[in-house]
Amino acid sequence: MDFPDELRAAEESLKQAEADFLAGPDGIAEALLVKLSTGPFSADVKIAQEQMQNLDESRYVKWSRWDKKFEFAASFWKDEGYPSIDTTSHRASNPDWYSNRTGTTLFVKELMSHRNVIAPTIDGEQKGTPTSLGEPANRWLLDFVILSSLRLSLKKRWERLVRDIVMKRHQTSLKLVAGRLGLTVTEVLDIARKIRDLDDRVVEHDPSDSSNDLTYICRKPDPRLTPLVDIDV
């Protein structure tokens, strides 16, 4: 199977795990880790396991002094596989290309209405002893952290595919990249803007020379690069 197809297959498995998670039961992510552990994503599985073992519950559950309750602090996420969500409006904050492509914004909005949040302490009291790493009072956070970690890993995989292709040569057609990877041109444009070096250019439209439309201009290409997936030029 071609690697982009393997990526899409992994995403389908992850999407099903997210649906199972929203259906109610905890512990669903463990089966997903087992499924992905023997293939090309074994390294991503190890990262997710480490995230689970080192889960700091206080990072995700905060005390709301206004509502006098604990809440899922979605608006504080950074470098996660899911977009930040404003806890008041339940709207995504700057969803990126991957969130828009995979619909993870909807998953997070659904998550916030499918899970109850309790005090992140051992005794359940506001001023009680915080839970230890990897042992949250809100057990569903273990699944969430695994799913989030895998989403982030797969997103980085797509971005690495694009990066290696465009950094190999001086000028690359982003239409060819999109066709090879099975992504839309808009998605590849967004990725190119994100991963580009400061001296490089991402050209969406060149009014003086239409042959430069939808291209990545790399100032210092590295022809020694061997992309996992490459275009034919």
Side-chain angles (χ1 to χ4, degrees):
M1 185 184 295
D2 198 30
F3 187 69
D5 291 332
E6 291 183 304
L7 262 176
R8 275 183 276 273
E11 287 176 328
E12 282 301 311
S13 296
L14 185 46
K15 183 177 181 180
Q16 182 58 54
E18 289 167 345
D20 293 341
F21 177 91
L22 293 178
D26 293 339
I28 55 90
E30 290 286 353
L32 180 61
L33 291 180
V34 172
K35 182 176 183 178
L36 298 179
S37 63
T38 57
F41 307 106
S42 57
D44 305 308
V45 167
K46 291 181 180 179
I47 292 172
Q49 289 172 328
E50 290 174 359
Q51 292 289 327
M52 176 181 65
Q53 293 163 1
N54 297 304
L55 168 63
D56 180 359
E57 188 172 23
S58 66
R59 183 183 180 196
Y60 297 95
V61 180
K62 306 289 184 180
W63 172 253
S64 172
R65 59 176 178 158
W66 304 114
D67 296 331
K68 305 282 184 170
K69 66 179 182 180
F70 288 96
E71 63 183 13
F72 188 37
S75 60
F76 293 95
W77 302 345
K78 294 187 183 298
D79 198 30
E80 302 281 355
Y82 296 112
S84 296
I85 297 286
D86 184 273
T87 53
T88 301
S89 68
H90 287 192
R91 292 182 179 179
S93 304
N94 301 316
D96 64 4
W97 74 272
Y98 190 75
S99 298
N100 290 329
R101 174 178 171 272
T102 57
T104 53
T105 296
L106 180 60
F107 167 72
V108 176
K109 290 173 67 176
E110 288 293 310
L111 160 69
M112 295 174 69
S113 62
H114 280 70
R115 286 294 186 276
N116 294 320
V117 181
I118 60 177
T121 55
I122 292 175
D123 56 8
E125 297 295 330
Q126 178 188 355
K127 296 181 179 180
T129 303
T131 53
S132 57
L133 294 182
E135 295 292 336
N138 297 275
R139 299 292 297 176
W140 56 267
L141 275 174
L142 295 171
D143 283 326
F144 173 79
V145 169
I146 290 174
L147 297 174
S148 177
S149 177
L150 290 174
R151 278 295 184 192
L152 183 60
S153 290
L154 297 186
K155 176 171 69 173
K156 288 181 176 179
R157 292 270 192 170
W158 284 114
E159 292 172 353
R160 179 61 184 269
L161 290 178
V162 174
R163 185 185 187 283
D164 284 352
I165 294 174
V166 301
M167 296 296 179
K168 180 180 179 179
R169 46 185 65 85
H170 171 65
Q171 183 167 318
T172 305
S173 166
L174 296 179
K175 289 189 290 186
L176 288 180
V177 176
R180 178 64 182 87
L181 299 180
L183 299 174
T184 68
V185 172
T186 298
E187 288 166 350
V188 173
L189 271 171
D190 287 342
I191 294 172
R193 293 188 183 106
K194 178 179 179 180
I195 57 92
R196 78 176 184 89
D197 284 346
L198 293 177
D199 292 334
D200 296 349
R201 290 177 58 212
V202 178
V203 182
E204 183 172 359
H205 175 65
D206 187 343
S208 62
D209 185 355
S210 60
S211 66
N212 288 330
D213 290 355
L214 298 172
T215 60
Y216 188 98
I217 310 297
C218 182
R219 299 299 183 189
K220 297 179 180 179
D222 184 358
R224 297 170 299 176
L225 278 173
T226 53
L228 186 61
V229 177
D230 206 355
I231 58 175
D232 295 323
V233 293

